[in-house]
């Protein structure tokens, strides 16, 4: 395994799907293919277009392999997604989009049977964000189809099944606010036995297990060596965390950014998690519980900025700080540390678009700092993913936590972690720019004003 060098990482995010080629020798991405990912709004309910994704994956593997021989394949995906397959691996129901509100229609029935937060570390979330609620709704709404299921799979392992024909599950996805896993016992929760689902659960295997070589049909379609290894795979935020678990000294925290901004604390302060504020217990790739908190920051950024480019100046930033132009939470309601607050702008009269961009970046950093506070984070914070390239976000995060922030330079932080499943060697971290908290008092004053405004709003 240690001789492997170039790892193709299938990375299915909620907004974009990617296939990255990672060079283990330099811990860097040497090639990347990307496509938009959006649910299909067709009957029987909004669902993921797995066939379009499968075609993209196969085409990407073929293209990348022609440029540089692929030694192995690893997989990482967003959470809150599971798949029901029959005995030959075919879907018995479409893969439900977790933003669909169907599961809420059975909320009272589901709440009566779901395990408590103390057992699973899973807060009660709306829509399909609790995977157990998805499966429960599917079983009640489509009993005939559900009865055909031979296996329940987490989303990364569904793609592993399509690549290898081997059915498996893995703890980082099982432990991601699903209600299905007890992180303290490292076993399925009581919900699985109460609903008699244990027989459907594919065997739980470590993220770095080699499930097998690719299927002959995949080898023919892509041109890959038929003996190309496929690793079990893991949840995307935990993929971002894994390199730091292997090389960093606690205490530290990692913020994985994408559609969701997920904050994870390792070796932090002992603190009681508040399930009402979207804190939870994730399970890392080594099988250990990790205090975590999250909000839909990437989605908020897209909605608020309409993805405009950064064009701010120092004068814009100075005006936002001095005039305390504030955005209060939350643009996306129902999750995050302020799930029931409605977004409000303060002191925003006359704000230009570049000042607005700065204020939005500050808001996202302050929300992230709140998440870190809620999980007892301590030590330096590493930011992975798109927000690591937003200097204003990084600087405000340092200011609001009063701790150093390291902005990862990897284009896709999840890809590096997923690629590390293919090696047993501990490797040094890739490059990142370290930013210390700013010393100018105006930053601290801005943070204080934001927190005071929220307190007054409450």
């Amino acid at each position: 395994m240690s001789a492997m060098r170039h790892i193709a990482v299938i990375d299915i995010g909620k907004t974009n799907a990617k296939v990255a080629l990672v060079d283990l020798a330099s811990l860097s991405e040497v090639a990347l293919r990307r496509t938009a990912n959006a649910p299909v709004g067709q009957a029987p309910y909004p669902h993921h277009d797995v066939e379009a994704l499968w075609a993209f994956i196969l085409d990407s593997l073929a293209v990348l392999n022609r440029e540089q021989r692929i030694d192995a394949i690893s997989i990482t995906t967003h959470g809150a997604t599971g798949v029901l397959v029959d005995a030959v691996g075919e879907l018995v129901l479409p893969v439900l989009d977790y933003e669909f509100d169907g599961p809420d229609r059975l909320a009272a029935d589901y709440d009566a049977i779901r395990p408590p937060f103390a057992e699973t570390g899973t807060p009660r979330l709306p829509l399909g964000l609790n995977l157990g609620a998805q499966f429960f709704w599917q079983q009640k709404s489509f009993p005939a189809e559900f009865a055909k299921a031979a296996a329940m799979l987490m989303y990364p392992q569904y793609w592993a099944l399509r690549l290898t024909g081997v059915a498996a599950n893995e703890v980082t996805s099982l432990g991601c606010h699903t209600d299905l896993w007890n992180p303290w016992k490292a076993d399925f929760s009581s919900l699985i036995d109460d609903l008699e689902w244990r027989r459907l659960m594919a065997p739980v295997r470590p993220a770095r297990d080699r499930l097998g070589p690719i299927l002959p049909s995949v080898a023919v379609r892509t041109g890959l060596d038929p003996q190309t290894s496929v690793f079990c795979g893991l949840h995307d935020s935990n993929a971002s965390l894994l390199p730091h678990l292997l090389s960093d000294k606690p205490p530290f925290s990692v913020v994985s950014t994408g559609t969701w901004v997920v904050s994870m604390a390792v070796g932090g302060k002992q603190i009681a998690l508040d399930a009402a504020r979207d804190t939870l217990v994730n399970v890392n790739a080594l099988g250990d519980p990790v205090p975590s908190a999250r909000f839909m920051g990437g989605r908020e950024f897209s909605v608020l900025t309409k993805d405009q480019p950064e064009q701010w100046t120092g004068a814009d930033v100075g005006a936002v700080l001095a005039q305390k132009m504030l955005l209060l939470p939350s643009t996306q309601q129902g999750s995050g540390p302020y799930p029931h607050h409605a977004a409000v702008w303060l002191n925003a009269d006359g704000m230009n678009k570049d000042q607005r961009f700065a204020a939005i970046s500050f808001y996202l950093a302050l929300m992230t700092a709140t998440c870190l506070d809620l999980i007892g984070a301590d030590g330096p914070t590493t930011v992975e993913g798109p927000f690591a390239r937003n200097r204003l976000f990084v600087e405000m995060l340092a200011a609001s936590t009063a701790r150093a922030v390291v902005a990862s330079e990897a284009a896709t932080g999840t890809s590096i972690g997923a690629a590390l499943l293919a090696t047993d060697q501990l490797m040094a971290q890739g490059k990142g720019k370290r930013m210390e908290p700013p010393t100018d008092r105006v930053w601290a004053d801005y943070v204080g004003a934001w927190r005071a405004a929220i307190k007054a709003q409450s």
Side-chain angles (χ1 to χ4, degrees):
M1 245 188 260
S2 59
M4 294 182 183
R5 176 167 177 176
H6 293 103
I7 312 301
V9 176
I10 298 166
D11 182 353
I12 309 296
K14 191 62 167 61
T15 306
N16 295 287
K18 302 168 280 288
V19 179
L21 189 64
V22 175
D23 184 345
L24 287 178
S26 60
L27 276 188
S28 64
E29 297 161 9
V30 294
L32 178 67
R33 300 191 86 238
R34 181 191 306 261
T35 189
N37 187 23
V40 177
Q42 298 175 355
Y45 46 73
H47 57 274
H48 296 289
D49 191 347
V50 295
E51 294 310 319
L53 288 171
W54 182 236
F56 165 73
I57 289 167
L58 295 178
D59 288 344
S60 297
L61 291 173
V63 169
L64 294 176
N65 190 60
R66 286 196 293 269
E67 297 173 358
Q68 173 64 61
R69 181 182 183 276
I70 292 171
D71 297 318
I73 299 170
S74 187
I75 308 160
T76 184
T77 77
H78 60 79
T81 304
V83 184
L84 296 162
V85 296
D86 62 18
V88 296
E90 297 292 331
L91 296 182
V92 300
L93 282 166
V95 181
L96 189 146
D97 172 28
Y98 64 62
E99 294 186 76
F100 173 53
D101 64 1
D104 281 345
R105 299 166 200 169
L106 296 179
D109 293 337
Y110 182 68
D111 288 345
I113 62 169
R114 68 180 293 268
F117 183 78
E119 179 184 338
T120 64
T122 296
R124 183 64 170 108
L125 300 172
L127 308 175
L129 287 167
N130 295 129
L131 182 55
Q134 288 186 39
F135 284 145
F136 180 79
W137 180 82
Q138 288 176 312
Q139 184 175 34
K140 297 297 183 183
S141 302
F142 304 93
E145 291 83 354
F146 192 94
K148 298 175 184 176
M152 285 180 169
L153 305 176
M154 300 300 100
Y155 204 31
Q157 288 71 52
Y158 168 68
W159 298 110
L161 174 69
R162 294 198 69 160
L163 288 165
T164 67
V166 177
N169 273 314
E170 187 273 335
V171 294
T172 62
S173 293
L174 283 168
C176 179
H177 53 81
T178 64
D179 284 328
L180 305 177
W181 189 253
N182 184 326
W184 321 115
K185 293 184 177 180
D187 193 9
F188 293 109
S189 74
S190 57
L191 182 71
I192 294 294
D193 292 321
D194 290 346
L195 293 175
E196 299 182 349
W197 287 350
R198 191 176 284 262
R199 63 181 178 82
L200 295 175
M201 285 293 170
V204 178
R205 297 180 61 171
R208 59 177 51 197
D209 264 15
R210 178 186 181 274
L211 297 188
I214 55 175
L215 292 167
S217 58
V218 174
V220 170
R221 174 70 172 74
T222 61
L224 270 67
D225 186 318
Q227 295 304 309
T228 301
S229 295
V230 178
F231 294 88
C232 189
L234 74 175
H235 171 239
D236 54 9
S237 297
N238 278 285
S240 294
L241 179 62
L242 180 58
H244 303 280
L245 290 175
L246 298 177
S247 64
D248 292 3
K249 182 180 179 180
F252 65 85
S253 58
V254 174
V255 176
S256 174
T257 68
T259 301
W260 291 92
V261 174
V262 181
S263 298
M264 297 164 282
V266 177
K269 304 166 188 172
Q270 294 296 316
I271 194 167
L273 299 181
D274 185 349
R277 301 188 69 184
D278 214 348
T279 63
L280 60 147
V281 177
N282 267 305
V283 180
N284 68 32
L286 307 180
D288 299 322
V290 180
S292 306
R294 64 214 198 118
F295 72 107
M296 219 169 188
R299 175 69 55 78
E300 290 190 322
F301 177 84
S302 294
V303 169
L304 289 164
T305 67
K306 297 180 173 55
D307 294 321
Q308 73 175 72
E310 294 188 42
Q311 295 178 326
W312 52 271
T313 66
D316 292 320
V317 174
V320 171
L321 290 169
Q323 298 175 40
K324 296 182 174 57
M325 301 175 182
L326 304 172
L327 175 57
L328 304 184
S330 296
T331 303
Q332 287 287 136
Q333 294 178 288
S335 59
Y338 303 102
H340 306 301
H341 285 220
V344 176
W345 281 98
L346 297 181
N347 307 321
D349 291 344
M351 172 186 285
N352 66 37
K353 63 181 180 62
D354 298 325
Q355 292 166 349
R356 177 182 168 88
F357 183 95
I360 291 166
S361 299
F362 291 163
Y363 158 76
L364 295 168
L366 288 159
M367 287 284 281
T368 303
T370 302
C371 290
L372 290 167
D373 286 344
L374 288 170
I375 59 176
D378 199 4
T381 301
T382 297
V383 179
E384 301 277 5
F387 284 11
R389 299 189 291 276
N390 183 333
R391 177 185 160 191
L392 298 178
F393 173 89
V394 173
E395 194 161 8
M396 182 55 77
L397 185 60
S400 53
T401 60
R403 298 191 303 273
V405 175
V406 179
S408 172
E409 294 178 1
T412 311
T414 55
S415 298
I416 304 300
L420 286 177
L421 298 181
T423 179
D424 293 325
Q425 297 178 357
L426 299 185
M427 296 189 174
Q429 274 296 287
K431 295 179 180 178
K433 182 177 180 181
R434 183 182 177 102
M435 183 173 290
E436 300 295 336
T439 57
D440 191 329
R441 182 68 197 175
V442 69
W443 290 83
D445 289 345
Y446 188 92
V447 173
W450 189 83
R451 290 173 175 166
I454 292 177
K455 186 174 182 180
Q457 184 189 56
S458 302

